[in-house]
């Protein structure tokens, strides 16, 4: 039996340590929590995607009375970006969450389905996408989606 360790690198920042582009994206993601439709969980998530053409695409979670029909903020943003600009790679995705009257203390973590979708986008455009996860106490920066989803199922698995 072999034991393998798979480690990922996460960079931890305070808000003021971030560059102005990242700070702005986080501000936009925080603002976008206000556009969330989350009457069932009351957990409002905002996303902001910076594209290579400089455009910033917004997203927020959109819930549904039939719970699984709702969609996370990351996927509303990334699908919209891909649909609007199919030829433009996303560079940075920032996420923030507002719950119980405050932005969450610890960095919000994208769910497994969002990681899978983000990985597809990163693979499709052959460009690493930085992920910024906002928390009041700390901000995580992960340099690519690959790191967020080790041992992922991907297009290679479908090759003959
Ligand atoms: N949610 C997101 O939008 N993004 C995440 O990364 C985690 C969870 C949403 C889904 C649902 O509307 C609510 O937050 C509670 O799970």
């Amino acid at each position: 039996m072999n034991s393998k360790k798979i480690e990922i690198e996460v960079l931890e920042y305070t808000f003021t340590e971030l560059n102005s582009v990242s700070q702005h994206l986080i501000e936009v993601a925080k603002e976008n929590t206000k556009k969330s439709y989350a009457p069932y969980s009351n957990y409002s998530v905002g996303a902001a995607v910076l594209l290579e053409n400089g455009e910033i695409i917004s997203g927020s979670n959109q819930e549904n009375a039939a719970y699984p029909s709702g969609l996370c903020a990351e996927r509303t943003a990334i699908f919209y970006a891909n649909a609007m600009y199919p030829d433009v790679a996303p560079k940075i995705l920032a996420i923030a969450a507002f719950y119980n009257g405050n932005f969450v203390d610890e960095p919000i973590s994208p769910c497994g389905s969002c990681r899978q979708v983000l990985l597809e986008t990163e693979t499709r455009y052959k460009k690493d996408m930085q992920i910024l996860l906002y928390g009041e106490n700390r901000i995580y920066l992960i340099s690519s989606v690959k790191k967020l989803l080790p041992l992922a199922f991907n297009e290679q698995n479908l090759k003959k």
Side-chain angles (χ1 to χ4, degrees):
M1 190 271 278
N2 282 330
S3 166
K4 291 184 178 177
K5 278 207 174 63
I6 300 174
E7 293 179 342
I8 69 162
E9 185 185 37
V10 175
L11 304 177
E12 186 178 325
Y13 287 88
T14 62
F15 186 76
T16 48
E17 285 172 340
L18 290 169
N19 65 31
S20 57
V21 173
S22 299
Q23 287 186 352
H24 178 61
L25 269 189
I26 284 174
E27 296 293 11
V28 176
K30 287 173 82 173
E31 192 61 26
N32 287 340
T33 62
K34 295 182 190 156
K35 299 176 186 154
S36 149
Y37 176 65
Y40 305 105
S41 71
N42 291 312
Y43 192 87
S44 298
V45 185
V49 186
L50 174 67
L51 303 182
E52 279 211 313
N53 64 5
E55 185 111 12
I56 295 176
I57 302 291
S58 289
S60 54
N61 56 330
Q62 302 295 321
E63 296 188 346
N64 194 285
Y67 292 177
S69 301
L71 201 63
C72 293
E74 299 88 318
R75 273 178 287 165
T76 63
I78 210 75
F79 282 146
Y80 182 66
N82 294 166
M84 279 292 284
Y85 298 102
D87 301 324
V88 185
K91 274 175 82 170
I92 312 176
L93 166 74
I95 313 159
F98 190 85
Y99 191 50
N100 284 333
N102 296 296
F103 287 101
V104 295
D105 286 337
E106 294 303 319
I108 171 163
S109 204
C111 79
S113 296
C114 284
R115 292 176 198 217
Q116 187 72 37
V117 166
L118 296 171
L119 182 69
E120 185 76 26
T121 297
E122 185 173 87
T123 310
R124 167 179 173 180
Y125 293 100
K126 300 182 175 65
K127 282 265 164 63
D128 283 356
M129 189 188 338
Q130 290 188 7
I131 309 293
L132 276 167
L133 306 176
Y134 181 78
E136 292 274 86
N137 293 341
R138 67 198 94 248
I139 296 159
Y140 285 158
L141 171 65
I142 299 135
S143 62
S144 76
V145 182
K146 282 181 286 298
K147 291 189 178 164
L148 257 186
L149 190 59
L151 288 182
F153 184 86
N154 59 35
E155 54 175 3
Q156 298 303 325
N157 298 102
L158 296 174
K159 295 235 163 89
K160 285 195 183 147

